[in-house]
Amino acid sequence: MSDTKELDFPRYAHVEGHTDVCYSEDGKYLITCGQDGDIRIWDGFDDGDPTEKCVGSEAFAVHQSGDLLYVGDDHHTLQVYTFPKAELIDTLTRFTASVCCLDSSKDGKLIAAGACDSSIQVVNKDTKSVLNFDGHKSPILSIKFDPLSEFLVSSSCDGTVKIWSIEKKSVVKEWTNVIPVSNAFQHSKIKCTPAWDPIDGNLLAIPFGKEIKFFQRGLWRELYTVHDYRLSEQDITVMSWSKCGRYIAAGTNIGFILVWNVSSQVIVLHAKCKERYSIRSLVWCPKNGEHILAYCDDHGQLGLVENANSDDFNIDSTNDEQNILMTDEESGDNVISLEQIKLEAEAELSKQRGGLSLNNVDGLEIDDDNSNLSSKCIPPTVSFSVDLQSPFQPCSTPVHLQRRFMVFNDVGYARQTNTVDENVIDVDFHDNTIHHAFRIKNVLGHTVAALCQEALVLGCDSQDTTPSKLVCVLLNSWDGKREWTVDLPDEDDICGLAVTADWIAVASVSRLLRLFTLGGGQREIISIPGPIVAINGSRDRLVVVHHCGAPIPGEQNLRYCVYKIDSRVEAICSGFVPLLPKSTLRWVGFSDYGSLCILDSAGTLQMLIKSYWSPLCCVDNTWNDTTNHYFVIGVNEARQDIRCILCKGSYYPSTTPHPFLNEIPWQIPLCDLNQEKGELEEKFWRSNIALSILPEEDGLQYDKELKTTFLKLFAMACKSGHDMRALELCKLIRSEQYLNLALKYAMRVGNSSLATKITTIIENETNVDDEPKPVTYSELFDSPSTSYNKNTNCISQQSQDLFSEKYTSNDSEDNNKESSSILSVLKKKQESELMNESNDIDRAFNPFKKKTGGQANISFGTLSPLDQTIEPSSDNKRKSDLSDSYEGIESTNKSKKPKGVSKLSSFIFKK
């Protein structure tokens, strides 16, 4: 173990604040930039007159490649300068915020830049083409190309590290909660600079707090970790991999620099700076054979570490006591030198870079025949880590933002401003006639809020000796008391709030749900069986979402529970929260009719319909630009739309200017929505969902829409010859009225087989509902003709338009009459045609044969489809056909069809 080395005093480079440093490719020059907006090119560390260039008010990043120098500044541009004269020649690309980190590919053709607007751009220096990578939710801290230019690794203020596929422009791996979340690039205490193995890129090193983890390329599994016991009270801020690939260095937040030998995983340097400031940038000298480190701290000072691997060949005194290492003279042939151990370890590491070592299969060590020492390779990963979603407040933006919405709902919003100049909460309402806007000084540091028309509820975390507090501001107080406060028990912080006109719910990290009356009285305490993720309330309903056991890696295992709260508390329903793969919960709440809805990070909005979840819309897909997202406020079932805010280039709305509220319609994610069939099916099932939830008076428009869509789908199936599909569609409709319309259409197009099956469905539905049985074709020929006279006026009126909107179901009696009349009209017309044709044929076959007194028993099932064809006609013709059928009733009773003559033969004979 190396001793702590004390470094020389650094030299002044820039003013206090973030400072960046890089080496030129030949290792001759040092380039720095700082908060004073200048870049300086140093001809060696001791250069007393460096080249200076003012590039803006602030300069955040510098990178040298070839004969060019790239600078990121507060002008929101990536500027290109000549090197080493520092003359501006070009602006490579633009952002909407300051450019804060840079890197180039190994061949220098691709330049990557990350900005404070959470976006990353990769620019081709020759073609000037730009690739956009959007997925982070906060400013970018660092970016790094892999040596093969296939992947790009980035870290962000949102606490995540992502690996991007440059070709696919998508995330292939993501780690969350790697660093503490911050609200700005300058305020981030941990810069977190992941680094690739510079030789072949088969290893990726990422600093995780007090240690550095190494991951295998492609599989992205953790191979091993390096750390030091002296890091127990400090965190790694930056990291750098030497050009030779043998050493990796890290700087900490209290001015220490550590260097490890990557192959042996042994620390070879532990140094401390004279002034214990946080290290903001760290870089190795690219010259071969020179192991020199340059660093800059957050006070704008530039320092140098020479012989960064000097302790690599020192021998620890404990090894002498244990007689592990001996000289050749002392041990003869049984010697194992330290240099030999290093070479073997590096050889093993090279094997690991190409794949798994053959000396370690499933954790078993195999001795090499040509080695006196067992070759111990990288230990396999036994356990896996699970990233649980942190608690959040629905309809709020992240806490780390300086200007954020604590809550934004249908009533109004609470906007928090947390800057150096002011720390306030502004409360405003959409309808200023109910309440006026007001401002609160955020003295207690509130971070959680809930708002309704009756009250504003605020919550803050515990700080040192101050416990977590709940503050309620009453908006409609009648007793003069407009505010009350409650302290939570020690070591218990508020993680969620919900408020309605009658009660307040407070969720805490101790997995307790505390209920209060609006006036401040304490009610029930509910224990939640897992860490609480989010809560929300509406009227007398409260939903709680919590973790339920350990999920599989990359997933979330969440469960919901809905409570009814009035004079007592009752659990109504519970179950698992359905999330898309690799997604997290983004919003949870109730619709205007009290249906539970959720939104995941993939943008899928789902609703709990009775006992199952159904997706209503892919919210983010409604906008063509994949970088834009919708911030959901609420769901309206009566209009079937979603109230939300369009966030361009981010997941959360900005506080200025005032966000504009959008209403996007539902669109159930069925297949083939770009075709007419898929569009009608989506409309059909949307109407079906509305009728299953909405009250009868609110669902009238969807009842008409369902009927119209059903008939269009039925007609489309009949025209395309899909009779089975048409019949299955009839089985989905539980209305006799709709089935009668389908039956009429089937008869019009001459599809007797389908008409027979629809008649069977009508009969079955009638039997189930214990309603009067509709008249069938077989009964038509046995019933007296006078049965049609009493409904003549109704029949002629309803036959004006086959698909008229006048067909509305008023009550069961009208439906029965309509059903009977529709069937009777169609069958009477068929009877009339049959009888007229029989009169023409009687004389041709046997004019002397006696006629029986009864009617011919003709079954509908034996009729030919050719005779069932009815030519489409106008409304006038339809009226005349019905009149002819009525006039033919008398002649039908007088002239009976001879026995033994089939309908098909009479048709052929007539032709």
Side-chain angles (χ1 to χ4, degrees):
M1 189 63 64
S2 60
D3 297 328
T4 301
K5 178 181 179 181
E6 189 169 352
L7 301 177
D8 296 332
F9 279 100
R11 65 176 299 172
Y12 171 84
H14 298 274
V15 297
E16 181 179 347
H18 169 73
T19 312
D20 193 26
V21 61
C22 74
Y23 267 103
S24 60
E25 286 188 334
D26 57 4
K28 180 180 179 182
Y29 296 96
L30 278 166
I31 306 104
T32 60
C33 68
Q35 295 293 288
D36 51 10
D38 294 340
I39 59 172
R40 290 184 171 87
I41 303 175
W42 309 76
D43 188 3
F45 180 75
D46 298 326
D47 186 6
D49 187 19
T51 302
E52 296 185 10
K53 180 73 175 181
C54 181
V55 297
S57 299
E58 293 178 308
F60 296 98
V62 289
H63 181 76
Q64 197 274 327
S65 177
D67 56 351
L68 299 176
L69 178 64
Y70 302 93
V71 179
D73 54 28
D74 60 340
H75 290 164
H76 306 175
T77 58
L78 173 56
Q79 297 181 357
V80 184
Y81 293 82
T82 60
F83 185 79
K85 294 184 179 181
E87 297 177 356
L88 179 64
I89 58 176
D90 193 10
T91 298
L92 203 56
T93 186
R94 295 182 181 273
F95 293 82
T96 59
S98 302
V99 180
C100 48
C101 52
L102 300 171
D103 192 36
S104 65
S105 59
K106 197 171 184 178
D107 56 7
K109 293 183 179 180
L110 300 178
I111 307 298
C116 292
D117 60 0
S118 309
S119 64
I120 300 173
Q121 293 185 19
V122 175
V123 186
N124 190 309
K125 186 179 65 175
D126 300 331
T127 63
K128 301 296 177 68
S129 61
V130 179
L131 300 177
N132 293 298
F133 298 83
D134 298 297
H136 285 294
K137 303 176 183 178
S138 294
I140 310 300
L141 291 173
S142 67
I143 50 177
K144 194 71 174 179
F145 278 106
D146 84 291
L148 304 181
S149 299
E150 295 179 358
F151 299 107
L152 182 73
V153 62
S154 63
S155 62
S156 170
C157 290
D158 58 11
T160 63
V161 173
K162 297 177 184 285
I163 297 178
W164 307 81
S165 171
I166 298 177
E167 181 180 0
K168 299 179 181 179
K169 296 191 297 183
S170 61
V171 178
V172 297
K173 180 63 178 178
E174 178 181 0
W175 292 272
T176 58
N177 300 324
V178 178
I179 59 175
V181 177
S182 58
N183 56 12
F185 175 81
Q186 299 93 322
H187 297 165
S188 178
K189 298 180 181 180
I190 308 298
K191 193 177 178 182
C192 183
T193 55
W196 299 88
D197 178 7
I199 305 301
D200 49 18
N202 280 332
L203 289 177
L204 172 65
I206 303 177
F208 279 77
K210 307 178 187 306
E211 59 186 11
I212 300 176
K213 296 183 180 181
F214 291 80
F215 298 89
Q216 185 179 2
R217 178 194 183 95
L219 298 177
W220 313 119
R221 67 170 185 171
E222 182 181 343
L223 296 178
Y224 60 98
T225 302
V226 296
H227 55 84
D228 187 71
Y229 72 94
R230 286 164 289 197
L231 289 173
S232 59
E233 297 180 357
Q234 49 189 326
D235 293 324
I236 297 175
T237 57
V238 291
M239 187 187 67
S240 180
W241 207 318
S242 65
K243 299 299 180 181
C244 64
R246 294 182 61 183
Y247 303 101
I248 194 164
T252 70
N253 59 337
I254 59 174
F256 281 85
I257 295 178
L258 301 91
V259 179
W260 286 270
N261 186 309
V262 178
S263 57
S264 62
Q265 306 172 30
V266 175
I267 188 167
V268 297
L269 176 67
H270 185 267
K272 65 178 180 179
C273 304
K274 289 283 187 180
E275 299 175 346
R276 308 281 287 278
Y277 298 133
S278 177
I279 307 298
R280 293 293 298 180
S281 55
L282 187 68
V283 62
W284 286 89
C285 178
K287 284 185 179 180
N288 293 330
E290 291 192 10
H291 298 92
I292 300 175
L293 279 168
Y295 68 91
C296 284
D297 56 34
D298 59 358
H299 277 58
Q301 299 181 114
L302 172 65
L304 211 63
V305 182
E306 297 181 343
N307 298 324
N309 66 332
S310 60
D311 291 342
D312 197 9
F313 298 98
N314 289 349
I315 300 175
D316 200 341
S317 60
T318 57
N319 293 336
D320 293 333
E321 297 176 359
Q322 298 175 2
N323 293 324
I324 295 178
L325 300 177
M326 296 176 289
T327 61
D328 293 344
E329 293 79 8
E330 294 173 344
S331 60
D333 296 334
N334 295 325
V335 63
I336 302 176
S337 66
L338 179 61
E339 189 64 29
Q340 182 182 356
I341 296 176
K342 292 177 183 177
L343 294 176
E344 289 182 359
E346 291 180 0
E348 288 299 330
L349 180 61
S350 64
K351 292 180 183 179
Q352 292 295 330
R353 290 172 176 169
L356 293 177
S357 173
L358 296 177
N359 291 338
N360 191 354
V361 181
D362 295 334
L364 298 177
E365 292 186 9
I366 302 175
D367 289 341
D368 192 75
D369 295 337
N370 299 324
S371 175
N372 294 326
L373 181 66
S374 177
S375 300
K376 184 177 181 180
C377 66
I378 300 172
T381 303
V382 178
S383 60
F384 59 87
S385 60
V386 177
D387 296 325
L388 298 180
Q389 183 176 359
S390 302
F392 73 96
Q393 184 72 11
C395 299
S396 68
T397 55
V399 180
H400 65 270
L401 300 178
Q402 288 183 327
R403 293 176 175 85
R404 58 179 289 259
F405 287 111
M406 302 177 72
V407 61
F408 194 115
N409 56 23
D410 295 330
V411 178
Y413 62 84
R415 182 180 60 210
Q416 179 187 5
T417 303
N418 183 18
T419 61
V420 178
D421 299 330
E422 58 179 352
N423 187 7
V424 295
I425 299 174
D426 294 300
V427 183
D428 200 354
F429 301 90
H430 302 314
D431 188 357
N432 291 328
T433 61
I434 301 177
H435 300 295
H436 60 83
F438 59 91
R439 169 175 283 195
I440 301 174
K441 289 185 178 181
N442 194 9
V443 179
L444 298 176
H446 295 293
T447 57
V448 188
L451 178 67
C452 69
Q453 289 188 355
E454 287 74 19
L456 168 69
V457 184
L458 302 171
C460 65
D461 295 335
S462 58
Q463 299 176 359
D464 298 332
T465 58
T466 305
S468 179
K469 291 181 179 293
L470 172 68
V471 177
C472 178
V473 180
L474 299 176
L475 305 176
N476 293 326
S477 176
W478 55 269
D479 60 353
K481 299 293 184 180
R482 293 183 55 87
E483 181 177 329
W484 54 268
T485 305
V486 171
D487 293 343
L488 266 68
D490 295 338
E491 300 180 357
D492 194 9
D493 291 335
I494 297 175
C495 62
L497 292 174
V499 59
T500 65
D502 300 316
W503 47 264
I504 298 171
V506 181
S508 62
V509 295
S510 60
R511 306 180 186 180
L512 294 178
L513 187 67
R514 302 175 183 271
L515 298 180
F516 297 84
T517 63
L518 209 60
Q522 299 189 52
R523 291 191 50 177
E524 297 88 348
I525 299 180
I526 304 173
S527 182
I528 305 299
I532 298 176
V533 178
I535 66 171
N536 205 344
S538 176
R539 299 184 183 92
D540 61 344
R541 295 291 191 271
L542 173 67
V543 59
V544 180
V545 179
H546 60 88
H547 290 285
C548 182
I552 61 176
E555 301 285 345
Q556 299 295 324
N557 186 14
L558 303 180
R559 192 174 180 86
Y560 72 91
C561 186
V562 179
Y563 297 92
K564 180 181 179 182
I565 303 175
D566 41 30
S567 59
R568 59 190 181 91
V569 180
E570 179 184 359
I572 299 177
C573 61
S574 63
F576 290 97
V577 177
L579 299 174
L580 264 65
K582 309 297 181 182
S583 65
T584 56
L585 185 65
R586 194 157 128 196
W587 176 82
V588 60
F590 294 95
S591 67
D592 55 341
Y593 279 91
S595 298
L596 182 61
C597 303
I598 63 167
L599 177 73
D600 57 31
S601 58
T604 303
L605 180 70
Q606 302 187 60
M607 177 182 289
L608 181 63
I609 302 175
K610 295 181 179 178
S611 59
Y612 65 91
W613 288 92
S614 178
L616 299 181
C617 182
C618 295
V619 177
D620 294 339
N621 293 347
T622 57
W623 192 269
N624 295 329
D625 193 350
T626 58
T627 62
N628 298 334
H629 305 277
Y630 280 102
F631 184 77
V632 173
I633 302 299
V635 178
N636 191 302
E637 292 187 62
R639 297 192 304 268
Q640 289 195 344
D641 58 26
I642 305 164
R643 299 183 301 278
C644 52
I645 300 172
L646 176 62
C647 308
K648 294 187 176 181
S650 67
Y651 285 90
Y652 307 105
S654 59
T655 56
T656 54
H658 189 277
F660 179 75
L661 196 64
N662 296 270
E663 292 182 351
I664 59 176
W666 294 2
Q667 188 179 43
I668 300 177
L670 299 180
C671 302
D672 297 330
L673 289 178
N674 55 345
Q675 299 181 8
E676 184 181 4
K677 173 179 172 292
E679 183 179 352
L680 289 174
E681 289 173 337
E682 190 273 337
K683 192 175 182 180
F684 175 82
W685 284 110
R686 252 195 307 111
S687 303
N688 224 331
I689 291 175
L691 291 176
S692 65
I693 298 175
L694 299 180
E696 184 177 356
E697 58 274 9
D698 296 336
L700 292 178
Q701 59 172 333
Y702 296 107
D703 183 71
K704 295 179 180 180
E705 183 177 309
L706 181 68
K707 177 179 67 175
T708 305
T709 309
F710 163 73
L711 294 176
K712 288 181 180 180
L713 284 171
F714 184 84
M716 183 182 297
C718 292
K719 289 180 181 179
S720 59
H722 292 87
D723 293 349
M724 180 179 291
R725 182 190 300 167
L727 185 65
E728 291 169 346
L729 191 62
C730 292
K731 294 179 181 179
L732 296 175
I733 293 293
R734 305 284 298 183
S735 172
E736 186 178 344
Q737 180 188 10
Y738 298 165
L739 293 174
N740 284 319
L741 294 175
L743 176 61
K744 291 175 65 176
Y745 184 86
M747 294 303 301
R748 283 187 58 190
V749 299
N751 196 334
S752 60
S753 175
L754 181 59
T756 305
K757 290 179 171 56
I758 295 176
T759 305
T760 305
I761 295 176
I762 296 176
E763 293 176 354
N764 295 336
E765 290 293 331
T766 306
N767 294 334
V768 170
D769 298 336
D770 294 329
E771 294 179 354
K773 186 176 180 181
V775 180
T776 60
Y777 280 87
S778 59
E779 297 171 347
L780 179 65
F781 294 97
D782 296 330
S783 60
S785 60
T786 57
S787 63
Y788 299 96
N789 294 334
K790 59 182 179 181
N791 293 328
T792 303
N793 295 333
C794 180
I795 294 171
S796 60
Q797 187 178 14
Q798 291 180 350
S799 60
Q800 295 295 322
D801 188 359
L802 189 61
F803 302 106
S804 173
E805 294 291 341
K806 295 180 181 180
Y807 290 112
T808 57
S809 56
N810 298 326
D811 50 41
S812 59
E813 184 178 356
D814 294 338
N815 289 339
N816 294 335
K817 291 180 180 180
E818 182 183 5
S819 170
S820 177
S821 62
I822 292 173
L823 291 173
S824 61
V825 169
L826 295 176
K827 297 165 188 175
K828 180 173 172 49
K829 189 171 182 179
Q830 293 295 327
E831 179 192 10
S832 178
E833 292 178 358
L834 291 175
M835 295 303 105
N836 290 337
E837 291 175 1
S838 300
N839 292 335
D840 295 337
I841 300 172
D842 280 345
R843 293 186 298 274
F845 278 88
N846 191 352
F848 302 102
K849 190 173 182 178
K850 284 188 177 182
K851 298 180 180 179
T852 60
Q855 282 183 333
N857 186 15
I858 302 176
S859 173
F860 177 77
T862 61
L863 296 182
S864 170
L866 299 176
D867 268 332
Q868 300 296 326
T869 304
I870 301 174
E871 295 294 333
S873 59
S874 63
D875 292 341
N876 295 333
K877 186 174 180 181
R878 211 177 295 154
K879 292 179 182 180
S880 62
D881 290 344
L882 292 174
S883 301
D884 293 342
S885 63
Y886 299 147
E887 294 173 359
I889 294 176
E890 237 176 88
S891 61
T892 301
N893 293 331
K894 294 180 181 179
S895 59
K896 306 298 180 179
K897 183 176 178 179
K899 295 181 178 179
V901 180
S902 68
K903 183 71 175 63
L904 182 58
S905 61
S906 65
F907 174 80
I908 297 174
F909 182 83
K910 188 174 182 180
K911 292 295 181 180

